[in-house]
């Protein structure tokens, strides 16, 4: 029994060491991969922002999506469940700063199991962009975010694009542990999964998809019945013979 346990622990240790080596190599390769920005191919974009309640730095996070260095048309649609949502004042403040590209949609689709998708798949949220981007409200981006995403769609075989993100701790132990989990567990696991085969999932913080393809798969309503909408959306994109690209 002791020998069997020792052997099992040895195999587990070797497997863990192999995974760490592979994950470290994948991190290095990804870090040195060139970051491409679209310059000529600039499709129109619609960014959907699901918002529910006040969050730390919500104003700065939302504003970063409106202040993009993107020469083509893009619009931001802030979606909240109710006009009583405490985030409404901040949302309307940001929208007022960028009246030509930002608007607010209030309401939901109560029959959907996924509250995030119920906040997006409702009347008043009709995207006009060739690329539809769903980006969480607690994400902050740089001014070239849309140009980086657009670069993924330069080839027609790409139907959706997603990207990694890092955690920014606020100073508390819990937030530090959360950021540690993202950067030391989540990111390496995604890169190893991408090595093993084509991506069949998106990452919920950023999900960009061609609007024509999104309409073909039934719109966001097609993933409204599951909680893992990012995984389901990527699976539907792959099912329709398009690639999901992990943007640098």
């Amino acid at each position: 029994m002791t020998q069997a346990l020792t052997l099992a622990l040895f195999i587990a240790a070797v497997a863990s060491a192999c995974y760490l080596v592979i994950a470290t190599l994948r991190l290095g390769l990804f870090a040195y991969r060139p970051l491409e920005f679209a310059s000529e191919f600039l499709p129109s974009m619609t960014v959907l922002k699901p918002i529910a309640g006040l969050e730390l730095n919500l104003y700065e996070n939302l504003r970063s999506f409106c202040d993009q260095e993107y020469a083509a048309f893009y619009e931001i649609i802030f979606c909240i469940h109710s006009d009583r949502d405490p985030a409404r004042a901040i949302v309307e403040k940001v929208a007022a700063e960028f009246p030509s590209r930002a608007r607010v949609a209030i309401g939901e689709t109560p029959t959907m199991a996924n509250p995030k998708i119920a906040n997006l798949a409702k009347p008043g949220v009709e995207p006009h962009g060739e690329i539809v981007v769903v980006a969480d409200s607690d994400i902050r981006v740089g001014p070239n975010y849309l140009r980086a995403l657009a670069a993924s769609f330069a080839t027609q075989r790409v139907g959706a694009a997603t990207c990694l993100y890092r955690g920014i701790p606020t100073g508390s132990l819990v937030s530090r542990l959360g950021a540690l989990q993202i950067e030391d567990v989540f990111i390496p696991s995604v890169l190893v999964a991408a090595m093993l085969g084509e991506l069949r999932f998106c990452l919920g913080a950023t999900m960009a998809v061609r609007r024509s393809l999104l309409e073909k798969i039934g719109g966001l309503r097609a993933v409204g019945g599951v909680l893992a909408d990012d995984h389901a959306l990527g699976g539907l994109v792959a099912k329709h013979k398009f690639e999901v690209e992990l943007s640098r």
Side-chain angles (χ1 to χ4, degrees):
M1 183 66 181
T2 302
Q3 289 182 340
L5 179 60
T6 300
L7 179 61
L9 292 175
F10 175 76
I11 293 174
V14 171
S16 299
C18 290
Y19 173 80
L20 286 174
V21 171
I22 294 172
T24 301
L25 290 173
R26 290 292 295 167
L27 280 167
L29 290 172
F30 189 77
Y32 282 100
R33 178 178 142 195
L35 176 56
E36 298 181 7
F37 295 111
S39 57
E40 297 181 1
F41 176 72
L42 296 173
S44 57
M45 292 200 178
T46 295
V47 181
L48 306 181
K49 300 288 293 183
I51 302 162
L54 290 173
E55 296 173 337
L56 186 66
N57 299 322
L58 180 63
Y59 171 79
E60 292 80 4
N61 295 340
L62 299 182
R63 196 181 190 283
S64 70
F65 281 82
C66 297
D67 194 17
Q68 290 289 302
E69 295 181 2
Y70 198 70
F73 167 84
Y74 75 95
E75 62 177 350
I76 314 292
I77 306 178
F78 298 126
C79 303
I80 55 179
H81 290 281
S82 166
D83 56 8
R84 296 185 298 275
D85 192 302
R88 181 179 180 180
I90 292 178
V91 170
E92 291 182 339
K93 178 182 178 181
V94 177
E97 289 184 37
F98 301 89
S100 63
R101 66 178 57 137
R103 56 190 173 94
V104 183
I106 302 175
E108 63 179 353
T109 309
T111 57
M112 289 187 182
N114 187 319
K116 173 180 175 179
I117 303 302
N119 196 2
L120 300 176
K122 63 190 178 188
V125 185
E126 288 78 30
H128 298 103
E130 299 169 72
I131 307 297
V132 178
V133 183
V134 177
D136 287 346
S137 58
D138 60 350
I139 298 296
R140 189 180 306 181
V141 296
N144 290 310
Y145 168 77
L146 291 183
R147 289 181 60 212
L149 280 181
S152 296
F153 293 95
T155 173
Q156 288 297 316
R157 69 174 182 273
V158 173
T162 191
C163 63
L164 296 168
Y165 52 91
R166 64 188 182 93
I168 301 178
T170 60
S172 69
L173 176 61
V174 172
S175 70
R176 290 178 183 275
L177 291 174
L180 184 67
Q181 192 276 336
I182 291 172
E183 299 189 9
D184 286 5
V185 179
F186 173 72
I187 290 177
S189 68
V190 171
L191 294 176
V192 171
M195 179 194 71
L196 297 177
E198 65 176 18
L199 284 184
R200 300 182 64 87
F201 59 86
C202 293
L203 305 177
T206 289
M207 303 187 295
V209 61
R210 295 184 189 275
R211 180 161 59 93
S212 58
L213 176 58
L214 184 61
E215 292 171 350
K216 185 181 296 185
I217 65 180
L220 289 175
R221 290 176 177 271
V223 296
V226 296
L227 294 181
D229 53 88
D230 48 1
H231 187 274
L233 181 60
L236 288 172
V237 169
K239 184 178 179 181
H240 282 74
K241 310 301 181 183
F242 284 88
E243 295 180 9
V244 178
E245 179 167 306
L246 183 63
S247 172
R248 171 65 176 82

